[in-house]
């Protein structure tokens, strides 16, 4: 899963509309709260990506200032992973074979799924998860399908995320970039 800062380069190069054309799917945005201490211990390593190195070079050469807040967001594109079953839906869960993998013990192996509704609308359904799926604090019944709108809060177990379209993601990235003291 990419971090929000990995979208700085494409957001900087593309207009809001062109960014949306390049990313014709919604996103789930997870904000890491530094005050939130998890009771689950995990071992994670982090490496510097090529994108991070390019971003650092760009920041120096163009006097681009990035908010540290960019590193506190994980971005999950709501898209089908290659070679996954159930071509009509995007699965969410803890198991690695899901399209969206959430490494949280409160998330079931197969927790929920998204599917396209009429037109561009997205439908969310709980897959019989143990700790539940919520849409704006309302717990869904197992198998219950509801329409998800831009800006909605979607929770899988204890993991709460914001449902965004590409234009909203572009706006958020742009809000955290400055050049010569002015927002881009």
């Amino acid at each position: 899963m990419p971090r929000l800062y990995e979208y700085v380069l494409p957001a900087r190069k593309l207009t809001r509309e062109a960014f949306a054309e390049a990313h014709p799917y919604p996103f789930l945005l997870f904000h890491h709260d530094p005050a939130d201490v998890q009771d689950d211990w995990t071992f994670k390593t982090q490496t510097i990506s090529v994108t991070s190195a390019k971003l650092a070079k760009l920041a120096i050469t163009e006097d681009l200032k990035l908010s540290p807040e960019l590193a506190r967001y994980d971005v999950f594109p709501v898209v089908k992973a290659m070679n996954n079953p159930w071509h009509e839906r995007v699965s969410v869960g803890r198991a690695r074979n899901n399209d969206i993998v959430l490494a949280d013990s409160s998330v079931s192996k197969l927790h929920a799924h998204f599917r396209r509704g009429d037109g561009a609308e997205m439908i969310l359904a709980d897959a019989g998860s143990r700790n539940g799926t919520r849409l704006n604090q309302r717990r869904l019944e197992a198998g219950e399908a509801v329409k998800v709108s831009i800006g909605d809060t979607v929770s899988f177990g204890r993991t709460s995320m914001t449902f965004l379209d590409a234009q909203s993601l572009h706006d958020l990235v742009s809000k955290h970039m400055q050049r010569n003291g002015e927002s881009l």
Side-chain angles (χ1 to χ4, degrees):
M1 116 275 338
R3 292 286 173 114
L4 186 59
Y5 64 79
E6 295 181 46
Y7 288 89
V8 166
L9 294 174
R12 197 181 136 279
K13 290 179 183 177
L14 300 172
T15 65
R16 191 173 187 256
E17 291 72 26
F19 185 86
E21 284 181 30
H23 301 88
Y25 41 80
F27 297 88
L28 289 170
L29 186 71
F30 176 74
H31 183 263
H32 293 274
D33 183 358
D36 185 25
V37 179
Q38 293 190 8
D39 58 344
D40 298 64
W41 286 83
T42 60
F43 178 77
K44 294 183 180 181
T45 58
Q46 194 167 13
T47 59
I48 296 175
S49 68
V50 172
T51 302
S52 299
K54 286 181 182 177
L55 195 53
K57 182 178 178 182
L58 179 71
I60 292 167
T61 59
E62 294 192 15
D63 191 31
L64 184 65
K65 295 192 185 330
L66 303 174
S67 166
E69 191 70 14
L70 283 168
R72 292 196 178 132
Y73 287 97
D74 290 334
V75 180
F76 297 86
V78 182
V79 294
K80 193 78 198 141
M82 293 181 68
N83 301 322
N84 270 9
W86 308 299
H87 295 288
E88 73 285 353
R89 62 186 183 190
V90 176
S91 60
V92 180
R94 194 178 71 242
R96 291 184 190 194
N97 63 339
N98 285 293
D99 300 303
I100 298 173
V101 178
L102 303 176
D104 181 326
S105 62
S106 72
V107 175
S108 297
K109 289 180 184 177
L110 175 59
H111 198 98
H113 63 267
F114 289 93
R115 66 176 170 79
R116 287 267 180 218
D118 296 333
E121 78 179 10
M122 291 297 287
I123 306 297
L124 171 66
D126 183 79
S129 64
R130 176 176 286 181
N131 293 311
T133 302
R134 288 179 168 70
L135 179 63
N136 298 323
Q137 302 302 318
R138 183 172 93 57
R139 186 176 176 133
L140 305 181
E141 297 297 322
E144 179 184 3
V146 294
K147 179 184 172 200
V148 185
S149 299
I150 304 308
D152 282 348
T153 299
V154 181
S155 301
F156 306 100
R158 291 185 307 246
T159 302
S160 290
M161 309 171 107
T162 304
F163 187 79
L164 298 176
D165 61 2
Q167 290 183 337
S168 300
L169 185 68
H170 186 277
D171 293 346
L172 182 63
V173 171
S174 297
K175 176 180 135 183
H176 291 288
M177 293 189 292
Q178 286 187 342
R179 184 179 301 128
N180 300 327
E182 293 182 22
S183 294
L184 297 178

